[in-house]
Amino acid sequence: MGNGKGAVEDMEVDLEFYRGKRVFVTGHTGFKGTWLCKILEMAGADLIGYALLSPTEEGAKSFKQSGVEAGMQSILGDVRDYISLKKVFDQCQPEIVFHLAAQAIVREGYKNPIDTYSTNVMGTVNVLECVRMNPCAQSFLNVTTDKVYANQEQSNKLYTENDPLDGFDPYSNSKSCSELVTHSYKKSFFANHHVAISTARAGNVIGGGDFAKDRIIPDCIRAAYAGQNINVRNPYSVRPYQHVLEPLYVYLMIAQEQYKNRNIAGYYNVGPDIADCVSTGALVDLFCSQWGHGLKWNSNTVKGPHEAQYLKLDCSKLKNTFCWKPRWNIEQAIEKTVEWAKEYQGNGNIGHCMEKQIREFIAAY
């Protein structure tokens, strides 16, 4: 998929690269994990997933209906269980590892900080230990979040990879710790070793198949299904919203390119252009317009645990290293999310819908 204009500009995902390669994905039953596995299956990868079941009934149904389980080794397990994880890892001997397994909800982190830290910190330690103990691994990517930064709550602040890591709440902070664990392993064990190590700090992701609690688009979809108005907690908060395929494409690109050239391994922000960093209220307006049927929303601001008001990313490092740019703007991201949600509501072919959207996204490159 390179365009022949030079080494940097050739850094796009070549799905043929993944054909036949042994790829290990933690968190494969989750929202992002399901989409990533669908892409890798379409690419012909020898795919192994390790995760717990989705915590929501809708999420479990979405994973099942996606059809990805039929084309991979899908293993149920907890990344906190090092012995079980290592047994699977030792058996499958993966060349490429994507670490997505996490407790990923801010408000859940406040409710269950111990589980959040144990999953997000020790889970990362356990996966990296498996990588350290197995020379088969050539490329490792830890998927974290834009919330790893010490948020200054400034509307014009764009966070770069050199800004301090100090997430405020247990979820955000645990992902900051996951980053630091990765940095330590990289310096301590992999400086002159066999594997390229990177992390990707992605902005807020939307798309079909996300049914998590306390996330705005899943809240929108549930309200639309029920024919009710949407309750919006923080309509004025600003986030770097992007369709799920945007960061997944970047994850695949980083893992592919560092496999071939370990010098580009590093820490990368993954987010939309500034024009697509919108308020939650504006995002819901777009959703209501795309859904139709007179769907509306109410501002339901209630006192709750602290959540960041402003969050935007500077993605120039990613753009300069890989000659990358986002492909779907926020309107397109909402359009594709609604398309998936209506397919699901009508008991349509979810796997076919995902494959169609993946092909459309790749064609945009």
Side-chain angles (χ1 to χ4, degrees):
M1 295 175 64
N3 55 24
K5 295 182 182 179
V8 173
E9 295 188 47
D10 280 341
M11 288 188 187
E12 295 184 1
V13 176
D14 177 7
L15 292 182
E16 280 299 314
F17 166 82
Y18 285 97
R19 185 172 301 279
K21 285 193 169 59
R22 294 184 306 280
V23 182
F24 189 82
V25 178
T26 70
H28 71 288
T29 60
F31 165 44
K32 276 187 180 180
T34 300
W35 278 95
L36 179 60
C37 289
K38 176 63 77 171
I39 300 171
L40 287 166
E41 285 184 2
M42 292 171 68
D46 181 1
L47 187 58
I48 306 96
Y50 184 91
L52 296 173
L53 287 173
S54 171
T56 68
E57 181 180 343
E58 301 97 332
K61 180 181 175 183
S62 172
F63 173 70
K64 194 74 174 177
Q65 291 187 348
S66 72
V68 299
E69 196 171 17
M72 65 183 298
Q73 295 181 55
S74 177
I75 300 166
L76 294 181
D78 193 325
V79 289
R80 295 174 292 184
D81 183 347
Y82 174 68
I83 293 175
S84 295
L85 176 66
K86 187 175 184 299
K87 181 179 179 181
V88 172
F89 204 99
D90 290 348
Q91 289 174 345
C92 69
Q93 292 289 290
E95 301 166 78
I96 300 170
V97 180
F98 294 96
H99 178 42
L100 279 69
Q103 191 301 98
I105 306 298
V106 171
R107 290 166 75 92
E108 181 64 24
Y110 281 109
K111 295 176 185 176
N112 295 299
I114 293 176
D115 286 347
T116 298
Y117 276 102
S118 61
T119 299
N120 295 352
V121 182
M122 287 309 301
T124 300
V125 171
N126 289 342
V127 176
L128 281 166
E129 267 296 287
C130 291
V131 171
R132 184 172 77 89
M133 300 301 291
N134 281 274
C136 58
Q138 301 293 310
S139 180
F140 171 86
L141 181 69
N142 182 14
V143 173
T144 63
T145 173
D146 55 357
K147 297 173 182 63
V148 296
Y149 296 110
N151 196 309
Q152 299 175 23
E153 295 292 3
Q154 297 175 0
S155 61
N156 61 347
K157 169 67 176 174
L158 301 180
Y159 293 91
T160 74
E161 290 85 353
N162 293 324
D163 280 313
L165 303 179
D166 189 11
F168 181 99
D169 59 273
Y171 161 70
S172 303
N173 190 266
S174 69
K175 295 299 270 186
S176 302
C177 294
S178 178
E179 281 273 351
L180 293 172
V181 165
T182 309
H183 301 182
S184 176
Y185 263 76
K186 184 173 182 175
K187 291 182 291 186
S188 299
F189 304 116
F190 302 120
N192 298 303
H193 204 13
H194 57 85
V195 61
I197 304 283
S198 287
T199 68
R201 304 163 184 173
N204 289 51
V205 174
I206 63 175
D210 185 6
F211 290 101
K213 296 179 181 178
D214 297 321
R215 280 191 188 151
I216 185 58
I217 291 300
D219 288 348
C220 289
I221 291 171
R222 282 187 284 264
Y225 286 170
Q228 301 171 350
N229 286 354
I230 304 162
N231 288 320
V232 181
R233 243 185 7 255
N234 298 306
Y236 303 110
S237 62
V238 175
R239 295 286 187 274
Y241 293 106
Q242 59 191 323
H243 191 272
V244 63
L245 290 176
E246 296 282 5
L248 293 183
Y249 188 93
V250 171
Y251 303 162
L252 290 163
M253 182 172 61
I254 293 172
Q256 167 191 302
E257 292 301 327
Q258 70 178 14
Y259 183 101
K260 297 183 288 187
N261 176 11
R262 292 173 188 172
N263 291 328
I264 66 169
Y267 318 118
Y268 294 97
N269 286 340
V270 187
D273 290 331
I274 297 304
D276 292 313
C277 293
V278 299
S279 70
T280 303
L283 184 80
V284 179
D285 280 339
L286 289 171
F287 183 91
C288 290
S289 176
Q290 187 66 41
W291 189 272
H293 304 289
L295 185 64
K296 298 179 181 179
W297 63 274
N298 305 316
S299 179
N300 189 28
T301 303
V302 295
K303 185 174 178 59
H306 173 273
E307 295 184 74
Q309 187 71 13
Y310 300 104
L311 189 50
K312 300 177 183 178
L313 295 174
D314 181 335
C315 299
S316 55
K317 179 182 178 182
L318 182 69
K319 292 178 179 180
N320 293 336
T321 303
F322 298 97
C323 198
W324 168 86
K325 63 180 180 179
R327 290 307 191 266
W328 283 351
N329 62 28
I330 190 62
E331 289 83 4
Q332 291 169 300
I334 289 292
E335 175 190 347
K336 300 302 181 184
T337 302
V338 169
E339 178 185 51
W340 189 101
K342 289 188 174 182
E343 187 77 13
Y344 180 89
Q345 183 185 33
N347 293 315
N349 190 326
I350 296 304
H352 180 267
C353 181
M354 293 173 71
E355 290 171 10
K356 169 181 171 290
Q357 292 189 359
I358 290 166
R359 291 191 180 97
E360 290 171 346
F361 183 84
I362 292 173
Y365 278 79

